[in-house]
Amino acid sequence: MLESRIIQYQESRNQHLSLLKDYTNQLTELCMMDKISNNNNVTWFNGYVSREDREKLHGHKGALLWFTGLSASGKSTIAHLVEKGLHRRGCSTYVFDGDNVRHGLCSDLTFRREDREENIRRIGEMVKLFVDAGMIVLTAFISPYRKDRREVRSLLKDGQFLEIYVECPSEVCAERDQKGIYAKAKAGVIKEFTGISAPYEAPENPALVIRSYEEDAYEAAKRVIKLIEQCGLIK
């Protein structure tokens, strides 16, 4: 009886996810068509409070710290430790974690290349608004493609985007993996898995490299905060 209900739930969930994805795709197509045919009807409204005004209120500049690296490399752990350190200093912060975002905003996306690109595009547009609000935003995404990361960088002004490469060999990441996803990827259960069956393009000129297989997460977080200070984002 319980097994039958579980199967019914899974089938119903899959149907709803399929409908949600179809609806999202249709909405995107309609928006693109509207953008093409009525481009002049949509204009950006500049409010009466500027980013500089908000930054003055926060006591620091708005910026994006983009942590990139393989799954289980330590991105999220370090990002949250940095946020904790900044919060203690009175900074306005928020961490966008890859898994958390895929529970809501990007729940309709798969891990195929085109969906990965769309995932990062959505995140980029969202964090741009947070930076405009004068906040220090930290993101922890595998974000395997340089092109996608460059596009996010292009959304922000000079000095607002700090790319932080959390470097870690896939073998070490697999040993750390508590979710068993590396084992599933190697067995072919999970397709297009970054570092196993899908590529990862390491940053060519990151603001900071953290070798998490050699460096303690707390010490890495301190280095990130020092970088933020050196860039003049906080006092």
Side-chain angles (χ1 to χ4, degrees), residues 13 35 37 51 69 84 88 90 110 112 134 141 147 172 177 181 185 191 200 207 211-212 218-219 233:
R13 180 177 179 276
K35 184 177 180 180
S37 59
R51 175 175 54 81
K84 188 173 182 180
R88 285 174 175 169
T110 68
R112 293 175 302 184
F141 295 93
K147 171 179 171 290
V172 177
D177 177 25
I181 53 177
K191 308 294 183 183
Y200 176 79
R211 294 180 175 86
S212 63
Y218 289 92
E219 292 303 315
L233 300 175

Side-chain angles (χ1 to χ4, degrees), residues 10 39 47 60 64 66 85 87 92 138 140-141 153-154 173 227:
Q10 290 175 334
N39 189 48
H60 59 75
L64 169 60
W66 189 277
H87 183 75
S92 300
L138 307 92
F141 295 93
R153 183 192 293 269
S154 71
C173 292
L227 172 67

